């Protein structure tokens, strides 16, 4: 007797939602379009996610998990270089996945109390917390928030063409800002 693997309906829906998000942005993402794209019934999203916000929350959770994976690959040991590298990875992630980054920080579209989302957010911010020796990331230390805000702001500004007309040309500016910030942050942390 041969066993046939059951398709992963939840995974199919998330892949379809990701494609819809990347093509149309979060405002245009609809459950029926996602179900159609996934080749599932229009009731499938409700079964797996309960509602529209539940599906977007699952997608944002995947985004935070991917971001954490990117940040956790940084292998620089010294604080200034590590902080700078974390910032570059964050900006790269944001430029590579602008619609996903937008969704990840769109609290009004998400179930912000979802435990999986909260855990994924915590894991992502922990990469910055550890490099700044800031302790528990909830609530985040002001230095962690500054580092996070800078990286997020640079990703947003570069992605929108505010730093250079072509987002791909923003790397020298992003690198210079991150290097200066990392130097200031680590010097102020050490009291020098």
């Amino acid at each position: 007797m041969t066993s046939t693997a059951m398709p992963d309906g939840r995974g199919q829906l998330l892949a379809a939602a990701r494609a819809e998000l990347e093509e149309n942005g979060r405002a245009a993402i609809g459950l029926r379009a996602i179900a159609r794209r996934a080749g599932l019934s229009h009731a499938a999203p409700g079964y797996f996610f309960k509602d529209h916000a539940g599906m977007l929350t699952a997608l944002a959770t995947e985004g935070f998990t991917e971001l954490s994976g990117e940040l956790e690959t940084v292998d620089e040991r010294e604080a200034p270089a590590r902080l700078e590298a974390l910032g570059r990875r964050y900006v790269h992630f944001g430029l590579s996945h602008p619609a996903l980054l937008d969704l990840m920080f769109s609290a009004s579209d998400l179930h912000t109390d979802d435990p999986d989302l909260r855990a994924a957010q915590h894991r992502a911010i922990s990469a910055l917390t550890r490099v700044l020796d800031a302790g528990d990331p909830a609530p985040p230390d002001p230095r962690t928030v500054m580092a996070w805000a800078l990286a997020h702001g640079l990703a947003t500004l570069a992605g929108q063409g505010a730093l250079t007309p072509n987002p791909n040309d923003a790397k020298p500016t992003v690198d210079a800002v991150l290097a200066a910030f990392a130097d200031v942050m680590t010097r102020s942390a050490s009291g020098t």
Side-chain angles (χ1 to χ4, degrees):
M1 181 166 144
T2 21
S3 133
T4 308
M6 291 287 292
D8 174 21
R10 185 178 193 280
Q12 288 174 270
L13 288 166
L14 284 172
R18 180 84 172 252
E20 285 286 321
L21 177 69
E22 290 171 0
E23 288 176 18
N24 305 312
R26 70 181 164 83
I29 199 167
L31 294 179
R32 286 185 181 264
I34 291 165
R36 189 171 32 258
R37 178 172 247 172
L40 299 172
S41 82
H42 71 274
Y47 173 77
F48 288 102
F49 304 108
K50 293 193 172 87
D51 59 18
H52 188 257
M55 190 206 44
L56 293 179
T57 300
L59 192 55
T61 301
E62 278 190 351
F64 278 109
T65 300
E66 286 178 33
L67 175 60
S68 297
E70 286 285 319
L71 297 176
E72 290 167 358
T73 63
V74 170
D75 60 1
E76 282 80 358
R77 299 286 181 242
E78 297 299 316
R82 185 167 182 76
L83 188 57
E84 187 178 340
L86 287 167
R88 279 195 312 274
R89 290 283 169 90
Y90 191 106
V91 171
H92 180 269
F93 179 86
L95 291 175
S96 299
H97 311 287
L100 182 59
L101 188 70
D102 177 53
L103 173 66
M104 290 161 55
F105 292 96
S106 298
S108 63
D109 293 334
L110 308 174
H111 292 303
T112 56
D113 59 345
D114 179 82
D116 292 335
L117 176 65
R118 305 281 299 173
Q121 290 168 327
H122 184 275
R123 182 176 160 207
I125 193 67
S126 290
L128 291 173
T129 302
R130 285 190 304 272
V131 76
L132 295 170
D133 294 323
D136 186 3
D141 175 84
R143 294 172 301 142
T144 303
V145 174
M146 288 182 348
W148 183 12
L150 178 70
H152 190 82
L154 285 171
T156 302
L157 290 170
Q160 293 175 347
L163 298 178
T164 58
N166 181 347
N168 296 325
D169 296 337
K171 185 179 180 342
T173 302
V174 167
D175 288 350
V177 170
L178 290 169
F181 181 75
D183 181 56
V184 168
M185 288 297 286
T186 53
R187 276 194 291 137
S188 72
S190 66
T192 59

